[in-house]
Amino acid sequence: MRKVVLAMMTTLNGRLDAPDEWVTGLSEDHYREINTGYATFDTILVGRVTAAEMVEYWPTAADEEGAGDSHKGMAEKMHSYRKLVFTKDPSLSVEWHNAEPVVVSTDDEIRSFVEDLKAQPGKDIHLSGGAKLAQTLVRLGLVDEFRFFVFPTYSPGATWYGELESQMPLDLISSTAFDSGAVALYCKAAGG
C-alpha cells in the first residue's frame, strides 16, 4: 500500500505560511535531499490556496536565471506529478499539467478518497499542504510519515500545531543537518 507523506518546511515554532519571510535559502545538500525524497512520489495532495501559489511558481521555475540542476529537477517533477487539489468548490478549475480538483466536503469523503488512493498502485503520495489540509489528514490518521525541514529560526505567523486536537507520538526514522543550518526530521506514527 502507498504511504501518504507530509513533507513541509517549518520554523522552530511551527510556522508554515509565507516561507519567503523566514527561509534564508536552501543549501545544495538540502536541495539534493528534498529532490531525492521527491523521487519516491508520483502524486501530490494540495489544498486550493497552496495550489494557486504553486501554479504561479513551478511551471516556469526551471527557466529561472541561475537555477541549479536540483532546482530544475524539482521543477520537472512538479510538472509531471499527478496533482490532486482538494476543494469544496465544484466549479474550481486548475490550469496546470496533470492537476485535477477533488471535490470533498466532509471528513468521511476525505477519508474515503485518500484510503482509495493509497490502495491504488503507484509510488508514495506527497501531502504538500496547505496547513488546513495537512491538519485534516493528520487528524484523520491518514498520514503515514512526516518529513519536516526545520529552519533555525522562529517567526510570527500561522502555525498548524495549535489546531490539532490530540497528541500523536512519533518515532524518529532519521535526522540530517544541512549546510544551511536547517535540519530534516523524518518520523512515523509511533509503532507504525
Side-chain angles (χ1 to χ4, degrees):
M1 180 172 279
R2 302 163 80 184
K3 294 183 296 186
V4 171
V5 179
L6 172 62
M8 289 190 171
M9 292 187 283
T10 184
T11 63
L12 287 173
N13 62 314
R15 183 175 185 186
L16 300 173
D17 71 326
D20 54 316
E21 294 179 16
W22 49 267
V23 172
T24 55
L26 297 179
S27 55
E28 187 58 29
D29 61 335
H30 189 168
Y31 225 129
R32 275 193 310 272
E33 176 71 15
I34 292 172
N35 215 356
T36 298
Y38 271 60
T40 66
F41 305 131
D42 64 7
T43 304
I44 297 176
L45 307 181
V46 65
R48 64 173 180 74
V49 173
T50 302
E53 293 169 355
M54 293 170 83
V55 167
E56 285 182 25
Y57 179 73
W58 283 112
T60 60
D63 301 328
E64 284 182 357
E65 186 175 327
D69 290 341
S70 294
H71 189 74
K72 289 178 181 181
M74 179 65 71
E76 176 54 38
K77 287 179 180 71
M78 296 303 286
H79 176 72
S80 64
Y81 288 145
R82 180 181 185 201
K83 294 165 281 289
L84 301 173
V85 182
F86 283 67
T87 182
K88 292 180 181 180
D89 180 0
S91 66
L92 179 73
S93 175
V94 183
E95 300 299 322
W96 194 10
H97 179 72
N98 283 344
E100 56 190 273
V102 175
V103 180
V104 288
S105 299
T106 67
D107 285 353
D108 288 340
E109 290 174 344
I110 293 169
R111 183 188 312 278
S112 178
F113 181 87
V114 173
E115 287 176 348
D116 288 347
L117 184 64
K118 287 170 69 169
Q120 295 172 11
K123 293 182 176 184
D124 287 339
I125 303 158
H126 175 214
L127 172 54
S128 180
K132 186 173 181 181
L133 179 61
Q135 291 165 8
T136 299
L137 269 61
V138 169
R139 180 176 50 79
L140 294 175
L142 296 169
V143 177
D144 302 293
E145 188 175 312
F146 300 81
R147 296 179 188 170
F148 290 111
F149 297 97
V150 183
F151 283 76
T153 188
Y154 61 89
S155 181
T159 65
W160 70 286
Y161 299 110
E163 301 296 322
L164 298 176
E165 299 169 349
S166 62
Q167 181 172 318
M168 174 189 281
L170 301 175
D171 289 334
L172 182 65
I173 298 169
S174 68
S175 62
T176 305
F178 302 108
D179 292 341
S180 64
V183 176
L185 298 174
Y186 290 9
C187 304
K188 62 180 180 176

